[in-house]
Amino acid sequence: MDFNLTDDQQAYVASARAFSEGVLAPNAARWDAEAIFPKDVLAQAGELGFMGMYTPEAAGGLQLPRLDASLIVEELAKGCTTTAAFLTIHNMATSMIGKYCTQTVIDQWCPDLVSGRKLASYCLTEPGAGSDAAALRTTAVEDGVDYVVNGSKVFISGAGATEVLVVMLRTGADGPKGISALLIPADAEGISYGKKEEKMGWNAQPTRTINFDNVRVPVGNRLGSEGQGFAIAMEGLDGGRINIATCSIGTAQQALEEAAAYVQERKQFDTAISTFQATQFTLADMLTELVAARQMVRLAASKLDNKHPQATTYCAMAKRFATDVGFKVCNDALQLHGGYGYMKEYPLERHVRDTRVHQILEGTNEIMRVIVSRQLLMEGALEVIK
């Protein structure tokens, strides 16, 4: 087992770090304060290949392993958590299109999506159904060569500012076998958008409700076969959990570095607070837990890449642990800054706000515990997960 990065992986990290430090970090505070969605910067990320990281090569993407993509996302999150998080959502939707749509649809949409010239939103959550994809109520009824779509989606990242929607909806009976996925142009007739939500964090990307009122969508825009949507959604959630966990790790790493620098400069009683044992213990715990979380995320990504039979469980464990640790490290970094950590002049309060939502997204961490405990209680699970 080799934990060292390959030459290619080191090159990906270096490229992402340069972009993060040179483009994202200098602007992150302003984007947050002014609620700016930096579409032009996402297009720049596309020029580096970061908008189609695991989209198939045949569709114009890099088709990277999820582990390699995670390395990139961690560096981007150090510069701007919110922008990195949206980038991963776009990547998820784009990869689904590149993997499951017809060649005609791929040719129509993927060149602009993998380049970042156009952006995609992933539409799963509904007012009464979050990560419970089998409970979806938005419907698509076949009518000739089209589906007619009715219903609504909530908490959709990028909604109102993206060009493509990948929508999970019901085409059949209740339950998971009745779920399908459609690519819907974001400006299709019959689509309306709610107000931009006022959020605690993630202010550099818009979040809105999407309403579908008799929206006609060609049957040819379906991803995969009818009834395959639930499987596609579950596949997306596994990868999404790696993504959001990685965003937490990257942000926490940045917060830790900022805290370590600050405590060496800040003096109390004529001595740097870095010399205080309480400070040293706090930093040691932050680093230890962060490294453990990073290794768990990379292990889960590797399991996903290798199609391990328990990959879903590993992804759930990594998401639960890394997002909890990420938030705690950011909060501890704020505490080490004292009152200054609470000021917007410093980035710590933004790190705390932006990482808090990670404990909720892609299934709350309570749901992650349910997934893991169910696997643990199954016969033979203890022999698999060890």
Side-chain angles (χ1 to χ4, degrees), residues 14 33 49 116 140 178 229 235 253 258-259 270 274 276 282 349 367:
E235 178 183 301
Q253 179 68 42
E258 289 161 354
D270 295 323
S274 61
F276 299 162
T282 298
E349 59 84 29
I367 293 175

Side-chain angles (χ1 to χ4, degrees), residues 263-285:
V263 297
Q264 295 177 76
E265 299 171 358
R266 175 66 170 164
K267 290 187 176 181
Q268 289 285 286
F269 311 107
D270 295 323
T271 186
I273 63 173
S274 61
T275 64
F276 299 162
Q277 190 176 64
T279 300
Q280 295 172 357
F281 282 6
T282 298
L283 289 171
D285 288 345

Side-chain angles (χ1 to χ4, degrees), residues 35-50:
I36 294 172
F37 185 40
K39 297 182 71 171
D40 57 332
V41 171
L42 291 167
Q44 292 179 45
E47 294 174 2
L48 298 171
F50 297 159

